[in-house]
Amino acid sequence: MKLYVIGIGPGGADQMTPRARQAMENSDIIAGYTTYIDLVRPLIGDKEILQTPMKKEIDRCNLARDAALSGKTVSMICSGDAGVYGMAGLMYQVCEQHPELDIEVIPGITAACGGAAVLGAPLIHDFAVISLSDLLTPWETIVKRLDLASQADFCICLYNPSSRKRADYLQKACDIMLRSKSPETPCGTVRNIGRDGEQGEIYTLAQLRDTKVDMFTTVFIGNSQTRVIHGKLVTPRGYENK
């Protein structure tokens, strides 16, 4: 009884690992969020599909688990990496009472890595990844993480920076980070990472505060050493000081 949890990367077939594609080919059933199923549909063929909309993650994992327990080989797909804001942890939780299931997590390119490559090299030194979505994490906790990561001079990568219900959350986050970071701190955004319409932009932190973004955007905030080199964000690691 085999259950794969697969990170498909940003969504383009050219950024999916051969290991991920092979696991999908070996599977009888492909499970996933509707949008992610659409991204890989050309690779699925006539395989059975289990899909659920947003906010039905537990239902989705239960469907995949039950199908695997019936003897089918199942691939649960996630965008980016399955273990970074993906489904790997929840899948292990819903399968806790079924040690007979063979669960294999297959990594993929997460937005932090894919977006950083577009902007240059902003995450070369220590960095923190923080989601601004308060659907599963209290806003008070997010505020604390933003504040302490800024005080520690981490580069910061923000997932889920805005939505219709959270239109001002990036502005709020920038105000928190500006307590410890200079307004001139180099920052960047990347929209549609690895997909059609991919676009990267560079700002200062002060400019970023008033920039409109959406759920398809990943945001990068530099540390005190980050600078712009030939239009690219670069965070030195310190080799030149050795």
Side-chain angles (χ1 to χ4, degrees), residues 50-61:
L50 299 174
Q51 59 185 340
T52 64
M54 187 77 77
K55 300 183 181 179
K56 295 291 184 181
E57 290 82 3
I58 294 176
D59 292 344
R60 196 183 316 150
C61 286

Side-chain angles (χ1 to χ4, degrees), residues 6 21 105 126 158:
I6 302 173
R21 297 185 69 154
V105 178
D126 299 338
L158 300 179

Side-chain angles (χ1 to χ4, degrees), residues 25-112:
E25 290 176 11
N26 293 342
S27 296
D28 303 303
I29 298 174
I30 309 297
Y33 170 45
T34 305
T35 299
Y36 306 151
I37 290 290
D38 290 341
L39 289 173
V40 301
R41 197 171 292 276
L43 306 176
I44 292 176
D46 59 356
K47 296 180 186 296
E48 182 180 348
I49 295 173
L50 299 174
Q51 59 185 340
T52 64
M54 187 77 77
K55 300 183 181 179
K56 295 291 184 181
E57 290 82 3
I58 294 176
D59 292 344
R60 196 183 316 150
C61 286
N62 285 335
L63 288 171
R65 176 202 62 200
D66 294 345
L69 287 171
S70 74
K72 301 287 188 178
T73 298
V74 182
S75 283
M76 167 66 76
I77 63 169
C78 322
S79 70
D81 181 84
V84 180
Y85 300 111
M87 303 300 289
L90 180 57
M91 187 61 74
Y92 278 113
Q93 289 176 274
V94 303
C95 295
E96 189 170 3
Q97 303 306 315
H98 297 281
E100 69 274 21
L101 273 179
D102 180 12
I103 301 175
E104 181 177 348
V105 178
I106 297 180
I109 300 172
T110 189

Side-chain angles (χ1 to χ4, degrees), residues 126-132 141-158 173 176-181 185 205 221-224:
D126 299 338
F127 66 94
V129 179
I130 301 172
S131 171
L132 294 191
T141 299
I142 296 171
V143 168
K144 184 176 182 179
R145 290 171 179 171
L146 288 167
D147 188 24
L148 294 179
S150 299
Q151 289 184 47
D153 199 27
F154 278 99
C155 292
I156 299 173
C157 178
L158 300 179
I176 294 164
M177 293 184 287
L178 282 164
R179 300 173 190 167
S180 303
K181 290 179 176 288
T185 300
L205 182 54
I221 297 93
N223 67 15
S224 60

